[in-house]
Amino acid sequence: MKKTMELNKSTVPQPITTIYRLHMFIHSIIMVALVYYRVSILFKFENILSLQALAWVLITFGEFSFILKWFFGQGTRWRPVERDVFPENITYKDSDLPPIDVMVFTANPKKEPIVDVMNTVISAMALDYPTDKLAVYLADDGGCPLSLYAMEEACVFAKLWLPFCRKYGIKTRCPKAFFSPLGDDDRVLKNDDFDAEMKEIKLKYEEFQQNVERAGESGKINGNVVPDRASFIKVINDRKTESEKSADDLTKMPLLVYVSRERRFNRLHHFKGGSANALLRVSGIMSNAPYILVLDCDFFCHDPISARKAMCFHLDPKLSSDLAYVQFPQVFYNVSKSDIYDVKIRQAYKTIWHGMDGIQGPVLSGTGYFLKRKALYTSPGVKEEYLTSPEKHFGRSKKFLASLEEKNGYVKAEKVISEDIVEEAKTLATCAYEDGTHWGQEIGYSYDCHLESTFTGYLLHCKGWTSTYLYPDRPSFLGCAPVDMQGFSSQLIKWVAALTQAGLSHLNPITYGLSSRMKTLQCMCYAYLMYFTLYSWGMVLYASVPSIGLLFGFQVYPEVHDPWFAVYVIAFISTILENMSESIPEGGSVKSWWMEYRALMMMGVSAIWLGGLKAILDKIIGTQGEKLYLSDKAIDKEKLKKYEKGKFDFQGIGILAVPLIAFSVLNLVGFIVGVNHVFITMNYAGVLGQLLVSSFFVFVVVTVVIDVISFLKVS
């Protein structure tokens, strides 16, 4: 019997996994001991209303926050998995590969440069995948006429770019990246024809770029967001012309469609989640591919075979039945060596996601994932449950309801998209279409959280779906990271606020998750993410209570000669070693670990804390879901220079400067007062713990805060 070649393999890294589990056991004993110490001393206070007792309660609460956050995080360290794929082992012919719809999302041309958005679109069109099985959609939630014009220009350029990439086997298929240092290996001279064609292509790319920029600058085409508008859909490149070309024709192009859904001032639009659901319906009657690649507009395709790599999981009969999506990491091309803001978020993509992959799968991360369309409609193992009352679930469009029938399947490439289909698609993209349906609730992307992808992935896991994570050597997708404090911290506040709101909702991982089909360890992982703000409350209390104790003369840590002091020292060392073990082995260094740790401490008392606080206040007041901050993808050259030199840029941080400066001044003053007390009394035993905490905070943060104060003075 012929042995079937494997499409993928997974390994549990050793000995690090065994070390993780051993550390869990040891560290848990230490944590239990600290809880016992804090609670036992608390009951010994004669006056529970005294300042000393209040400080003890607060620092105890802070340590409980750290411990609970640590406990949830152990789910991500129990069984990490690393995966590899073998796309060369796919036995399917190209004509038999499952179709893929690529969905690119943009919302504001002022914050998301249009030429960069078009680079993402072109890179998606250039994927090494059968063109008759590929459709590319741009969801323009800004309804900007300039974006439509740019997409038409991009299509013209793509007719030259795609054959060039195919002819010479170019890997860097985003034109902007190809003509940058990222494409150095691809630009190596292959022959004289290559050199001549490359020069011609470069001229055509510059012409395309200039045409778009001039159109916007001249004002001939509106380059602004149109907030109140009807739905508009245009097929930029249809199937009629492409179907006449042979299968091996290098000039073949995928279906290319521009979609701008209806938006009205008096209707909720649900941000990206609403845009994604509208595009699900539109694509459902135009191409209806069983798999969807989702890309943010600033994340371009960097590996042309990423789709084939994803199919190594989706086509694996051992995994495919309950596999909802394959997630690739978010990798940024503009991260500096020092990475002073920790924008690459190494802990998430190198530790947490691998850890979740060993349980039920990683988080749906917003971009760079291949999703099974059916997973957004039903649960695994439940056949067509939504077809019992399809209109109630999906609305009244007969064409869309017909697309749900499994026998109907993919809309074949030779089928021309008629005007009737375009008009029906416009109806599917109206505000009113979702009225009285289950869109955003049981169907499609969830509207219960601003992080629509992450929360939808969570709900998919609750339904019993699984996911996989692939971190290839060559990044499959590359994006642009924020390069200043304001950009990254604003993004972080948005993430933390949305996750905390989800954790405070009735769909939280403690009550809802544990009662669903989600595994217990997976619930712990989601609790770690949704309650990550616990870390910030611990940090805020550690950054304030010990220093206040030094100022007012009360003690919150055991004396040096007390054995419990040694327990605290061991706990600190254990925590640092755990943190370093997750950073240094994954391509980091002591310096990079220190930068990450410093950034985490800074954000812990500013952006993470404010994000969690915002979520709590929004929950109390009932204002969540009304506004959403859109990250600025346009990079300022001066800010980029400062970032590359390792210098902090605090322009526009606003309220974030308040807690940073306040806690730094408090710790500096508390440290000076504490040292002075030691010199006067010649007794350091009772205050050494508080001095060490204050000095550590001063050492980590104050040097940065001096830059903040200097910047504010200059401003």
Side-chain angles (χ1 to χ4, degrees):
M1 185 176 178
K2 187 176 179 181
K3 185 179 179 181
T4 304
M5 292 186 291
E6 62 180 357
L7 295 176
N8 60 80
K9 71 173 183 179
S10 62
T11 56
V12 177
Q14 291 293 0
I16 192 66
T17 302
T18 301
I19 294 173
Y20 279 167
R21 293 180 180 181
L22 179 62
H23 177 266
M24 287 179 209
F25 176 71
I26 296 172
H27 198 78
S28 61
I29 294 174
I30 298 171
M31 296 299 102
V32 170
L34 291 181
V35 170
Y36 169 78
Y37 170 73
R38 284 294 178 189
V39 174
S40 62
I41 296 297
L42 186 61
F43 285 108
K44 294 180 181 179
F45 283 104
E46 294 180 1
N47 183 5
I48 197 66
L49 299 178
S50 66
L51 189 61
Q52 170 81 50
L54 176 61
W56 196 270
V57 169
L58 289 174
I59 204 70
T60 300
F61 176 77
E63 289 177 2
F64 279 5
S65 298
F66 284 139
I67 292 169
L68 192 56
K69 176 250 181 187
W70 174 84
F71 171 74
F72 289 144
Q74 298 320 293
T76 68
R77 304 173 76 236
W78 182 252
R79 189 180 180 271
V81 163
E82 295 176 355
R83 298 185 186 271
D84 201 1
V85 292
F86 311 101
E88 67 277 6
N89 290 346
I90 295 177
T91 57
Y92 288 69
K93 295 179 181 178
D94 278 3
S95 58
D96 295 329
L97 285 172
I100 297 173
D101 287 344
V102 183
M103 299 181 178
V104 181
F105 293 90
T106 185
N108 189 329
K110 300 300 181 184
K111 292 190 173 185
E112 300 164 338
I114 290 181
V115 172
D116 290 349
V117 176
M118 294 307 126
N119 269 275
T120 299
V121 171
I122 293 168
S123 71
M125 295 174 69
L127 283 171
D128 181 11
Y129 207 75
T131 51
D132 59 338
K133 297 296 183 75
L134 195 64
V136 180
Y137 296 83
L138 177 67
D140 178 16
D141 219 26
C144 175
L146 185 60
S147 295
L148 173 60
Y149 169 77
M151 197 167 179
E152 293 171 330
E153 289 290 307
C155 184
V156 173
F157 172 72
K159 291 178 180 178
L160 300 173
W161 175 249
L162 267 61
F164 172 74
C165 291
R166 292 164 181 163
K167 181 178 179 180
Y168 294 106
I170 302 299
K171 290 184 178 180
T172 309
R173 298 196 176 185
C174 169
K176 180 180 179 180
F178 177 80
F179 294 114
S180 76
L182 290 170
D184 285 347
D185 292 341
D186 277 317
R187 294 199 310 277
V188 174
L189 182 64
K190 293 174 171 58
N191 54 49
D192 292 339
D193 290 341
F194 171 76
D195 190 46
E197 287 186 49
M198 183 175 66
K199 289 178 180 177
E200 182 182 354
I201 288 289
K202 186 174 183 181
L203 289 173
K204 292 295 182 181
Y205 174 69
E206 291 171 349
E207 181 182 335
F208 149 69
Q209 190 175 10
Q210 290 168 4
N211 287 344
V212 175
E213 291 173 349
R214 286 171 184 168
E217 292 169 359
S218 66
K220 292 181 179 179
I221 301 176
N222 184 6
N224 297 315
V225 169
V226 182
D228 191 76
R229 62 180 189 269
S231 58
F232 180 83
I233 296 169
K234 185 172 183 179
V235 179
I236 308 295
N237 189 68
D238 62 19
R239 296 187 175 100
K240 186 176 181 180
T241 305
E242 302 303 323
S243 62
E244 298 170 357
K245 298 177 181 178
S246 62
D248 57 351
D249 192 332
L250 296 180
T251 65
K252 288 196 75 171
M253 298 259 289
L255 174 68
L256 185 63
V257 184
Y258 171 89
V259 178
S260 173
R261 62 172 173 146
E262 181 186 25
R263 284 183 61 163
R264 300 299 180 189
F265 289 127
N266 61 340
R267 297 296 297 258
L268 289 174
H269 52 81
H270 302 294
F271 310 105
K272 184 181 174 183
S275 180
N277 284 338
L279 193 50
L280 276 174
R281 297 190 293 271
V282 169
S283 63
I285 66 170
M286 287 189 167
S287 51
N288 199 32
Y291 297 102
I292 298 167
L293 166 60
V294 175
L295 296 173
D296 279 347
C297 62
D298 60 324
F299 267 84
F300 59 83
C301 301
H302 190 58
D303 184 357
I305 65 170
S306 60
R308 295 178 185 269
K309 288 181 176 180
M311 288 304 120
C312 288
F313 297 107
H314 280 302
L315 297 178
D316 185 345
K318 297 177 183 178
L319 301 173
S320 60
S321 62
D322 59 356
L323 179 62
Y325 58 89
V326 178
Q327 179 69 61
F328 288 81
Q330 292 187 21
V331 182
F332 304 99
Y333 62 82
N334 62 331
V335 175
S336 68
K337 291 182 179 180
S338 57
D339 189 20
I340 52 178
Y341 305 116
D342 189 27
V343 295
K344 60 179 174 288
I345 321 177
R346 187 201 302 270
Q347 186 191 20
Y349 299 117
K350 281 288 191 177
T351 302
I352 300 175
W353 272 223
H354 281 300
M356 295 181 74
D357 198 16
I359 309 168
Q360 203 171 337
V363 169
L364 198 60
S365 305
T367 185
Y369 59 87
F370 290 83
L371 172 70
K372 183 182 293 180
R373 186 186 290 263
K374 186 180 178 182
L376 294 172
Y377 301 156
T378 186
S379 303
V382 181
K383 189 176 181 180
E384 302 174 352
E385 63 176 350
Y386 47 80
L387 294 182
T388 55
S389 54
E391 291 187 3
K392 181 179 179 182
H393 284 78
F394 296 96
R396 297 181 179 276
S397 169
K398 292 182 179 179
K399 286 186 172 64
F400 182 74
L401 293 178
S403 75
L404 300 173
E405 297 284 350
E406 203 160 327
K407 61 183 179 182
N408 191 46
Y410 178 62
V411 179
K412 293 184 178 179
E414 56 266 22
K415 184 176 179 181
V416 177
I417 298 175
S418 65
E419 284 299 319
D420 287 344
I421 292 177
V422 173
E423 289 303 313
E424 184 74 8
K426 290 179 181 178
T427 301
L428 290 167
T430 58
C431 299
Y433 184 81
E434 293 186 357
D435 292 349
T437 69
H438 290 181
W439 284 99
Q441 300 167 33
E442 297 176 21
I443 303 297
Y445 285 86
S446 173
Y447 296 157
D448 290 312
C449 178
H450 281 333
L451 292 180
E452 71 296 317
S453 295
T454 300
F455 197 69
T456 298
Y458 162 72
L459 293 177
L460 290 176
H461 285 141
C462 287
K463 290 179 179 179
W465 289 102
T466 62
S467 58
T468 59
Y469 184 56
L470 183 64
Y471 200 119
D473 293 333
R474 179 184 175 90
S476 293
F477 308 97
L478 282 177
C480 183
V483 296
D484 63 339
M485 186 79 162
Q486 190 272 338
F488 182 65
S489 57
S490 297
Q491 196 174 62
L492 192 57
I493 289 174
K494 179 183 74 173
W495 291 342
V496 172
L499 286 170
T500 306
Q501 285 172 0
L504 295 175
S505 73
H506 70 284
L507 296 171
N508 68 79
I510 304 300
T511 58
Y512 183 82
L514 285 173
S515 62
S516 70
R517 296 172 67 182
M518 187 186 292
K519 297 179 180 178
T520 302
L521 285 176
Q522 188 81 355
C523 289
M524 288 176 60
C525 296
Y526 275 110
Y528 177 76
L529 296 171
M530 292 185 188
Y531 304 124
F532 193 81
T533 188
L534 286 169
Y535 170 81
S536 69
W537 290 99
M539 275 300 305
V540 165
L541 291 170
Y542 254 58
S544 55
V545 176
S547 293
I548 293 173
L550 290 171
L551 292 174
F552 289 92
F554 55 78
Q555 184 179 331
V556 293
Y557 293 108
E559 295 186 354
V560 176
H561 60 266
D562 191 327
W564 285 107
F565 186 84
V567 176
Y568 270 92
V569 172
I570 294 170
F572 175 78
I573 294 173
S574 176
T575 302
I576 294 295
L577 289 176
E578 176 184 334
N579 197 276
M580 293 179 75
S581 71
E582 295 175 348
S583 176
I584 296 175
E586 297 294 345
S589 62
V590 174
K591 182 180 179 181
S592 64
W593 163 79
W594 175 248
M595 291 294 183
E596 292 171 12
Y597 195 77
R598 181 174 69 169
L600 181 61
M601 284 190 66
M602 288 171 55
M603 295 302 174
V605 296
S606 55
I608 299 175
W609 181 50
L610 291 173
L613 189 61
K614 178 182 182 300
I616 294 171
L617 293 175
D618 284 347
K619 180 70 174 179
I620 296 171
I621 300 171
T623 58
Q624 63 223 56
E626 294 182 5
K627 293 183 179 180
L628 182 66
Y629 172 83
L630 182 65
S631 304
D632 195 339
K633 310 293 172 47
I635 300 299
D636 184 279
K637 291 182 179 179
E638 291 301 317
K639 291 183 177 182
L640 181 59
K641 287 180 182 178
K642 290 182 69 174
Y643 170 68
E644 289 174 342
K645 292 178 181 178
K647 295 182 178 180
F648 286 89
D649 188 327
F650 300 100
Q651 185 175 356
I653 65 171
I655 194 173
L656 288 172
V658 176
L660 276 174
I661 294 174
F663 288 129
S664 296
V665 171
L666 176 62
N667 277 269
L668 185 59
V669 172
F671 178 75
I672 293 171
V673 170
V675 170
N676 184 60
H677 173 78
V678 170
F679 277 113
I680 293 174
T681 63
M682 298 304 292
N683 180 17
Y684 64 89
V687 296
L688 182 60
Q690 286 153 257
L691 282 174
L692 290 174
V693 171
S694 294
S695 63
F696 186 70
F697 191 88
V698 168
F699 178 66
V700 172
V701 180
V702 164
T703 53
V704 178
V705 171
I706 291 173
D707 290 340
V708 178
I709 296 172
S710 300
F711 175 81
L712 292 175
K713 284 182 177 179
V714 173
S715 300

